[in-house]
Amino acid sequence: MLYPQQNDTRNTLDLSGFWDFKLDPEEVGEGEGWHNGLDAPRTIAVPASWNEQFQDTRDYMDVVWYVREFYVPQGWAGQRISLRVGSANYAAKVWINGEFAGEHYGGHLPFALEVTDQVVWGRPNTVAIQVENKLTPTRVPPGNMGKGGMFSMMGSHPDANFDFFPYGGLHRPVVLYAVPQAHVEDVTVVTEIEGANGIVKVHVVQAGGDLPGIVTLTGQGGVVQAGLTFSGGSAQAVLTVSDARLWCPEDPYLYKLEVALTLGTQVIDRYTLDVGIRTIAVQGNRVVLNGKPVFLTGFGKHEDFPVHGRGLNMPLIVKDNALLKWIGANSYRTSHYPYSEEAMRMADREGILIVDETPAVGLSFADGEENIQARLAQCKQQVRELVARDKNHPSVIMWSLANEPLLAPLGAATMGTGRAEPSPAAAPFFGELFDLVRGLDPTRLVTVEAPMARGYVDWLSKVDVMCVHRYTGWYRLGGQLERALEHLESDLDGVYEMYGKPIAITEFGADTIAGMHSDPAEMYSEEYQVEYLRGYLDLAARKEYIAGLHVWNFADFKTGQSLVRVGMLNRKGVFTRDRRPKMAAHLLRERWTK
Ligand code: GCB
């Protein structure tokens, strides 16, 4: 799943802008032919969530239609044309000129449909996209789970099994793109280090032809080239870069890789890629980048901003990366779903280490085999699509297969009450996902974020880094920081004793209302957030098994309405939703930029 590219052999046409838009709560659109055009539409911006663009659509979770026209440029004649949707949340169906072109299930990951035979030339084309964002128990992530739902307990509205707002819409650009008949279909790059040399292994898939190719790597140390001979549509090359300049947070150096398919001296297709030469591993208690220990500092984040909702917001990506640098963070997790490809490219450029998470948040194992299997099928699809999309980003160091799966019954898992036996269904479920991801990508680390179980869980020893979430001092022992930290220490020592793996505390935080102060510190005040975070940082500094700290959250973010989310916000951000620092941001900066 290559990112569409514009160069001398390929073209892209970004269909971002104003689209016609209409709600279809009765789901009559397909029967009434709305794919040919909308009667009395309103105007909506793409990319963006629909929820905050109008007053009456905030909680709308059903079917909508997006329609617009486009011309195919004359210069594209003879090329293969596809329509690519960066992210349609949740399910999408696409029509071109009234003819069904394809569909996709699952938000956050791109899909492309070849439409060469459906487009017309010399007059406008119509593209219609039906998007639907229902919250159902069999989706990943799930919603409307009834009594087993984590947030339904608090009467959260909309009834999602996670706290971030379930935005809907065309969240990332819709792009029309053209490639030559014989073209580079896929490229996979794996890097290794041998002494001072970088080894760049390139695997290329060609479609629509059988041309020879050439792969060129340019950067510090000069130009390295190798020929590509295809057999059965695929070819490999191994390039050695002497005295390689390695990619790392302090020096995120990117080499330029070009793959070209050639006919004599003519280049028929070319595709270029940024390549960071780096390795990632776990050694003992440490995460090791290029053979050197790296301590993860950073955050869990969200794609979230007023009005845009979850829509691609390029200035915000730039701003957030600048704030990450300012505060001394070297990493973040794409909680709780894959972020935009633009965000991943920015991380490559800025040297930010990414824990790349699938959309599997709020998984339950208590609602029967049929539902569990339905979710497993989607988790597998999401792992495949995520690895296919992000496999070449040097920034991506770890795959996160899920966030807080409820391995044990809810009460037992979260509060330590009742029977806490882990659900037997979770072991084969995650067993399959581990096998799948390790087969697709043996080069990166893998984790499951904070499985909610008490006591030892056998299959968890498959993770490379134990990522734990702790709200001791907030949801537990709130307001009693001293006791909370004592408790936390013995709790973490216990986890380390059980698994013997490096531990990263990948969520810890306290809701904080910007501008609220108290002395002595009390919950919700800026002082309390500072003391809480300082306590965790000090503890982590004493524990050599702790390999990283991700504060929850980088910024305040939109949630559903519930008793625990004042003003529809999770306020655990160290920045406000509009990116103003709270006192805690200065504390982290002081600690992390030293
Ligand atoms: C968690 C979840 C995260 C929530 C957070 C909270 O454990 O992983 O999605 O936002 O707690 O603030 O309650």
Side-chain angles (χ1 to χ4, degrees), residues 151 163-164 302 333 336 361 403-404 469 471 475 507 511 552 557 565 570 572:
F151 288 89
D163 77 338
F164 57 92
H302 266 298
R333 171 167 60 118
H336 293 308
V361 52
N403 180 76
E404 294 188 358
H469 299 175
Y471 290 94
Y475 291 123
E507 280 190 26
D511 283 87
W552 190 258
F557 60 90
R565 299 289 183 261
N570 183 315
K572 296 189 186 71

Side-chain angles (χ1 to χ4, degrees), residues 69-108:
E69 290 189 343
F70 63 90
Y71 277 93
V72 181
Q74 287 178 1
W76 292 16
Q79 296 213 316
R80 283 161 75 154
I81 298 166
S82 297
L83 185 87
R84 189 182 196 266
V85 179
S87 157
N89 212 330
Y90 186 86
K93 290 185 181 176
V94 180
W95 288 259
I96 298 287
N97 299 321
E99 197 185 319
F100 185 66
E103 59 191 317
H104 184 259
Y105 200 65
H108 314 292

Side-chain angles (χ1 to χ4, degrees), residues 365-431:
F365 294 89
D367 61 345
E369 196 51 23
E370 207 177 310
N371 284 8
I372 295 172
Q373 287 307 320
R375 290 191 294 262
L376 176 59
Q378 285 165 70
C379 286
K380 285 172 152 174
Q381 181 196 332
Q382 289 162 348
V383 166
R384 279 191 209 99
E385 291 181 3
L386 179 62
V387 175
R389 193 195 75 160
D390 286 354
K391 63 187 172 185
N392 293 325
H393 290 289
S395 54
V396 174
I397 56 162
M398 182 148 69
W399 305 112
S400 161
L401 295 175
N403 180 76
E404 294 188 358
L406 268 180
L407 303 187
L410 186 59
T414 55
M415 320 289 180
T417 57
R419 274 188 61 230
E421 287 302 309
S423 161
F429 187 100
F430 283 104

Side-chain angles (χ1 to χ4, degrees), residues 156-158 162-166 558-562 565 567-569:
S156 180
H157 172 72
F162 43 87
D163 77 338
F164 57 92
F165 191 83
K558 194 79 166 174
T559 65
Q561 300 183 64
S562 82
R565 299 289 183 261
M568 289 185 81
L569 287 180

Side-chain angles (χ1 to χ4, degrees), residues 82-392:
S82 297
L83 185 87
R84 189 182 196 266
V85 179
S87 157
N89 212 330
Y90 186 86
K93 290 185 181 176
V94 180
W95 288 259
I96 298 287
N97 299 321
E99 197 185 319
F100 185 66
E103 59 191 317
H104 184 259
Y105 200 65
H108 314 292
L109 287 159
F111 64 96
L113 305 168
E114 187 173 344
V115 295
T116 313
D117 298 333
Q118 286 172 309
V119 294
V120 293
W121 299 79
R123 60 193 162 89
N125 289 269
T126 303
V127 51
I129 307 182
Q130 184 207 69
V131 183
E132 174 260 287
N133 190 32
K134 292 179 184 165
L135 293 168
T136 75
T138 52
R139 283 194 171 169
V140 178
N144 284 302
M145 297 199 77
K147 269 199 266 154
M150 229 182 302
F151 288 89
S152 13
M153 282 196 322
M154 302 170 208
S156 180
H157 172 72
D159 191 359
N161 208 32
F162 43 87
D163 77 338
F164 57 92
F165 191 83
Y167 283 112
L170 293 175
H171 283 156
R172 297 179 193 146
V174 179
V175 174
L176 196 72
Y177 70 91
V179 295
Q181 292 296 336
H183 61 273
V184 176
E185 175 76 6
D186 197 16
V187 183
T188 309
V189 179
V190 169
T191 63
E192 291 166 9
I193 301 168
E194 270 178 26
N197 295 346
I199 311 293
V200 179
K201 297 183 171 169
V202 187
H203 179 243
V204 181
V205 177
Q206 173 176 186
D210 193 15
L211 299 173
I214 191 158
V215 47
T216 312
L217 189 76
T218 312
Q220 188 163 309
V223 179
V224 196
Q225 243 177 10
L228 291 171
T229 311
F230 287 86
S231 141
S234 84
Q236 338 242 359
V238 178
L239 306 169
T240 302
V241 183
S242 24
D243 212 4
R245 184 163 163 192
L246 305 180
W247 185 97
C248 61
E250 302 74 38
D251 181 23
Y253 184 74
L254 295 169
Y255 285 82
K256 292 273 170 238
L257 183 87
E258 181 188 284
V259 179
L261 302 179
T262 54
L263 191 61
T265 55
Q266 204 192 342
V267 172
I268 300 299
D269 187 26
R270 82 171 91 229
Y271 193 85
T272 52
L273 209 62
D274 288 337
V275 170
I277 300 176
R278 62 111 185 91
T279 58
I280 188 77
V282 160
Q283 278 170 16
N285 288 335
R286 283 283 156 269
V287 175
V288 167
L289 181 77
N290 305 332
K292 291 190 204 122
V294 58
F295 187 91
L296 302 179
T297 54
F299 302 90
K301 286 181 93 264
H302 266 298
E303 288 186 322
D304 172 89
F305 208 64
V307 188
H308 284 251
R310 193 141 291 125
L312 175 67
N313 185 334
M314 301 277 278
L316 189 67
I317 292 175
V318 172
K319 173 96 182 167
D320 283 4
N321 276 269
L323 291 175
L324 289 168
K325 294 276 163 188
W326 174 84
I327 211 166
N330 62 13
S331 55
Y332 70 83
R333 171 167 60 118
T334 70
S335 40
H336 293 308
Y337 39 78
Y339 291 4
S340 67
E341 290 158 286
E342 291 75 9
M344 297 301 98
R345 298 175 79 194
M346 186 70 177
D348 293 343
R349 297 167 72 122
E350 295 295 307
I352 300 291
L353 305 170
I354 298 292
V355 179
D356 205 354
E357 188 154 286
T358 72
V361 52
L363 293 180
S364 159
F365 294 89
D367 61 345
E369 196 51 23
E370 207 177 310
N371 284 8
I372 295 172
Q373 287 307 320
R375 290 191 294 262
L376 176 59
Q378 285 165 70
C379 286
K380 285 172 152 174
Q381 181 196 332
Q382 289 162 348
V383 166
R384 279 191 209 99
E385 291 181 3
L386 179 62
V387 175
R389 193 195 75 160
D390 286 354
K391 63 187 172 185
N392 293 325

